[in-house]
Amino acid sequence: MKKLLCLVLALLMLPVMAIGESTAVLNTEGEMPIVTEPVTLSIFGKQGAIHADWQTMDFFTEYQKMTGVTLDFQQAPSQGYDEAKALMFASGVGAYPDMLVAAGLNGSEIIRYGEEGVLIPLEELMETYAPNYTALMEKYPDIEGRITAPDGHIYALAAVIAVPAARTAKIWCNTAWLEANGLEVPTTFEELEEVLRAFKTYDANGNGEADEIPIAAADLPSWLTTTAGMFGLQYQFGQEMNLSDDGKTLTTWLTSDEFRQLLEWTAKIYAEGLLDPDIFTQEYSEFNAKMSGQMMGIFFNQADDAFDSTDYIGIAPFAGMSEDIYVQSGPVARDMGTFAITCDCEYPEVALRWIDYLFSDEGSYLERYGIEGKTWTRDEDGYPVYADGILDNPNGSGPTIAQFTFWPGGGAPQYLNENNCIAVTSDTTQAAQEALNPYMDYTLYAEPLFDADTNSRLQILGNDIDTYVRSSAAKFIRGEMSFDEWDTYCQTLEGMGLQEWVGIYQERLDSYQQ
């Protein structure tokens, strides 16, 4: 009964509101305020562990003044957030918050609560009331495919990360170690191995032991993700799949000769002691300590915020294993489910205009930098610059920024572009990205939304396949499985429904081309 009632309300609400109170209070002249009389909207989302209280946060305080929209905060702490979100969705019609902001909605939740009518469709409202987001969808067409449900509706918006440097893992190389060993930046796998062998015996910290790490990654999945492209392997739809040259067919490479070659090469450098053995077990905090401690000669990481990059540069992928080299990138539409409007919202147009300003340049400055004149100023070209003591704060720039705005920690509805990205992509990180750019010019599909039944089946297949591949890859690399067992590995994957798994994504690809 609850599902039926909310679905009926969702279907009836938009036309009623279009001629009712919601549009009547909208201010159609200029950007701010966005209403002609006071409006209150309730807001539910995840308050990150490093965030100040949203109710006193500069961003929300200032934005309420600017918009004329008062916020009724219902944010939940990150600890126990999933339970709080489940309780919110269980509250029923008449008790839902108006807006879900930085709510961490996953694909299953978006589809389920969209189909049930708890989340209202946004696509018909967006051209009129979300011109900034609509313009970004036109500029980056893959956004639409990423946020559109199988029924054709858009129930939630994603963050827009328009800066490639914020979506890739850079290859960082210690130039001081190279210079000390009389070596140049490696450009091929053959040169890379020579460099790694030199790093293995180099006592960089002068403690009398060769305890430095030649090459490393945070964990095994990130190692495979970053190196796969150098073997001609892509990650279409966020999965281990290649797209054919004509753009019509997907094939998985989990049983391919190229993936075997990648594992064989990794096993080789692991046996020589060139690869950090901790990639199988370490937490990211441990990897972070190695970065900040200058313990690694070459490693993969998105940015240089965790370490002093004075002696590091970002370098290009290594050649020699494949004619085609790809750099894996996250989608422009990142962090799904960052914003949605529920069927209880009396002012959906107001709510959509409220979020849309954050996807403009000036709105993004407010969200990412806080109040102008207090936590930021403009440079001679009019672009934002953080005040002293923020990016260089000893407590870390993220926790410092999280005291006055809510984007640090991920999951916020945000627009990251080249004018506002300094906190996450320094000049050094941007320069490192330039080494990767030549290998990013290929069609790359982001992971789409699926209906509930398909998503459930994908989870079953994907979890089994992923668990088996990770376990087998680790065993191949450590020598616990012989490559003579490769055929058995492939047959096992086929028996797990590998082709059915690929077929689900193939059907989605086919739908794009109809």
Side-chain angles (χ1 to χ4, degrees), residues 233-364:
L233 305 175
Q234 304 170 2
Y235 276 84
Q236 296 294 341
F237 292 109
Q239 308 299 328
E240 296 90 343
M241 289 184 244
N242 272 28
L243 183 67
S244 62
D245 291 340
D246 63 7
K248 296 182 178 180
T249 306
L250 292 171
T251 55
T252 180
W253 47 258
L254 288 174
T255 55
S256 69
D257 291 341
E258 291 81 4
F259 185 43
R260 174 173 176 165
Q261 185 183 18
L262 166 56
L263 293 179
E264 287 177 331
W265 178 76
T266 304
K268 172 186 174 182
I269 65 169
Y270 176 82
E272 289 189 47
L274 306 179
L275 175 64
D276 184 6
D278 291 340
I279 66 167
F280 303 107
T281 57
Q282 71 185 351
E283 299 292 332
Y284 186 79
S285 59
E286 297 173 278
F287 179 68
N288 193 76
K290 292 174 181 177
M291 285 192 290
S292 62
Q294 310 278 311
M295 296 173 63
M296 300 175 290
I298 296 176
F299 63 93
F300 309 121
N301 199 59
Q302 182 262 316
D304 68 333
D305 56 331
F307 63 99
D308 180 355
S309 59
T310 302
D311 292 330
Y312 285 87
I313 61 170
I315 64 176
F318 309 110
M321 295 298 185
S322 173
E323 291 184 7
D324 298 315
I325 297 177
Y326 305 102
V327 167
Q328 166 68 3
S329 171
V332 173
R334 197 190 72 184
D335 299 335
M336 289 294 294
T338 65
F339 175 82
I341 301 173
T342 76
C343 60
D344 278 339
C345 182
E346 296 182 13
Y347 304 98
E349 291 89 349
V350 174
L352 197 54
R353 279 208 62 191
W354 183 92
I355 197 65
D356 187 59
Y357 178 68
L358 303 186
F359 291 94
S360 67
D361 284 333
E362 289 299 320
S364 74

Side-chain angles (χ1 to χ4, degrees), residues 27-224:
N27 182 5
T28 58
E29 300 293 330
E31 288 190 335
M32 296 295 166
I34 63 175
V35 289
T36 57
E37 60 185 66
V39 167
T40 297
L41 295 175
S42 54
I43 176 174
F44 176 88
K46 179 167 67 174
Q47 180 178 320
I50 61 174
H51 288 176
D53 189 334
W54 283 10
Q55 299 186 65
T56 58
M57 188 176 276
D58 280 356
F59 163 77
F60 286 115
T61 301
E62 182 71 7
Y63 200 36
Q64 288 180 90
K65 295 177 184 177
M66 290 172 58
T67 60
V69 176
T70 300
L71 298 176
D72 174 13
F73 291 95
Q74 300 178 13
Q75 79 275 15
S78 56
Q79 185 173 5
Y81 177 73
D82 287 342
E83 291 81 1
K85 181 171 58 171
L87 288 172
M88 180 274 296
F89 276 124
S91 60
V93 180
Y96 294 123
D98 295 311
M99 305 186 295
L100 307 182
V101 180
L105 302 180
N106 59 41
S108 297
E109 291 168 334
I110 293 170
I111 297 302
R112 173 184 174 184
Y113 295 111
E115 291 179 345
E116 290 183 1
V118 177
L119 307 180
I120 69 169
L122 304 177
E123 67 279 354
E124 292 187 5
L125 296 171
M126 289 178 65
E127 185 172 351
T128 301
Y129 304 108
N132 294 313
Y133 203 95
T134 300
L136 289 172
M137 289 173 64
E138 293 173 354
K139 184 176 182 180
Y140 304 103
D142 53 323
I143 294 176
E144 185 172 4
R146 175 88 162 131
I147 65 176
T148 302
D151 62 8
H153 290 307
I154 296 174
Y155 296 112
L157 303 183
V160 176
I161 310 300
V163 182
R167 307 196 308 266
T168 61
K170 317 303 180 295
I171 310 172
W172 297 102
C173 181
N174 192 314
T175 56
W177 291 18
L178 288 176
E179 183 178 350
N181 286 277
L183 296 169
E184 301 292 331
V185 171
T187 60
T188 67
F189 275 88
E190 183 178 1
E191 293 172 358
L192 172 62
E193 290 180 22
E194 179 185 1
V195 166
L196 297 183
R197 292 183 185 109
F199 285 175
K200 180 184 178 182
T201 58
Y202 175 55
D203 184 13
N205 56 20
N207 66 354
E209 300 180 18
D211 53 359
E212 286 71 19
I213 301 167
I215 192 168
D219 51 34
L220 181 59
S222 61
W223 170 266
L224 297 177

